[in-house]
Structure formats: C-alpha cells, structure tokens
Amino acid sequence: DTVNFLRNSCNSPSTDDQRRRCRDITSFLSANPETGTLRIETFASDRAFAVPSARVMVFLPLDSGNITLYDGITDISGSSERIILPAPSRSLSMSPNNGKALPFSTYTVYIEHPSFVRALFNNVPVFSGIESVQPVQMLAKVEGLSEPDPIIVNESGSSTL
C-alpha cells in the first residue's frame, strides 16, 4: 500500500536530498495518519463512451519533488482501481476550519491515452474514509496535427469531487 511504500522509501537516506525528501514524507504522513480512496473515471463524448486502457498516474507533490504513488491502466469501463492514499484525520472535517489544517490531502493526477489529449489534474482532494471519484473527460486527438499540450485542471476551489 502507499503508506508503507512512503515509509519504506526513507530507509537509510544517504544524501542531503534524500534526507530532505524523507523529512517531507515524514511530515506528510504525520499530518495524514488515515486513508481515503481515489478512483479515476475516464470517458469521452459527455460520458457516452468509457475510455479503457488509459494510463493513470497519481503523484504526491512535495517541496522536495513529486513522488509517484500509483501507475495503472483503466479497465473496460474506463475506471482505475481504488487507490488507497494517506488523508488527514476525519475529525478535521467535523468542525470549522478556523485557519487550521485542511480536512483533505491533495494529489496530482495525470492521464494519457494514445488516441486522446493528455490531462493533468492538480490539487485532487482525498478525505479520510471517503472514496473520491475524479471524472476525466478525454478529448480526442486530431489526426495529422502535432501532439497538443495537456489539458490542465486545478481542482482547488472546485465544488465537485
């Protein structure tokens, strides 16, 4: 699971960069002691068609650099498997924030498929004990044109999960 992967990535850091990364990971895990799940749903044509075989990558953005937590392929229905990710304590979402820690952790999600434009979602929220679903509307590439830049979506401030 991702929590053990993160903990194990800090076994015997030998360089200053590795020690800094381990401090970032340790800090992140202490602020996110519980877990939630994330599932990606890829589709085209206003949900008329699922997009199977899309590559899905989930990253943990840290000051010391991104860490890949998941790299998988969507199934025939266009869905990724349930990805278990660290999240803050559920109790944070049960009371007013008052300027303290947010009740969710955020991740970066990257999706690619040979027939569609790549997509990047920043600040995708994950809450403790909740399955978050990130819908991804895939746009078909136009044959004969050069590779388009990825579609970038910033989920902070979005009212949907």
Side-chain angles (χ1 to χ4, degrees), residues 12-92:
S12 311
S14 57
T15 67
D16 286 341
D17 285 343
Q18 290 172 336
R19 283 188 281 281
R20 187 171 55 131
R21 173 161 267 195
C22 286
R23 281 192 299 275
D24 286 352
I25 290 170
T26 301
S27 176
F28 175 78
L29 288 174
S30 67
N32 295 277
E34 297 178 10
T35 61
T37 59
L38 176 64
R39 192 168 38 86
I40 312 304
E41 292 183 350
T42 58
F43 55 90
S45 301
D46 289 329
R47 293 192 180 262
F49 303 101
V51 179
S53 302
R55 182 180 187 193
V56 173
M57 298 177 77
V58 177
F59 302 99
L60 171 60
L62 295 173
D63 291 340
S64 57
N66 288 339
I67 296 176
T68 304
L69 298 179
Y70 176 81
D71 189 347
I73 303 293
T74 57
D75 63 18
I76 195 164
S77 67
S79 292
S80 72
E81 61 186 295
R82 288 184 174 149
I83 307 159
I84 299 171
L85 298 166
S89 173
R90 181 180 285 212
S91 64
L92 289 175

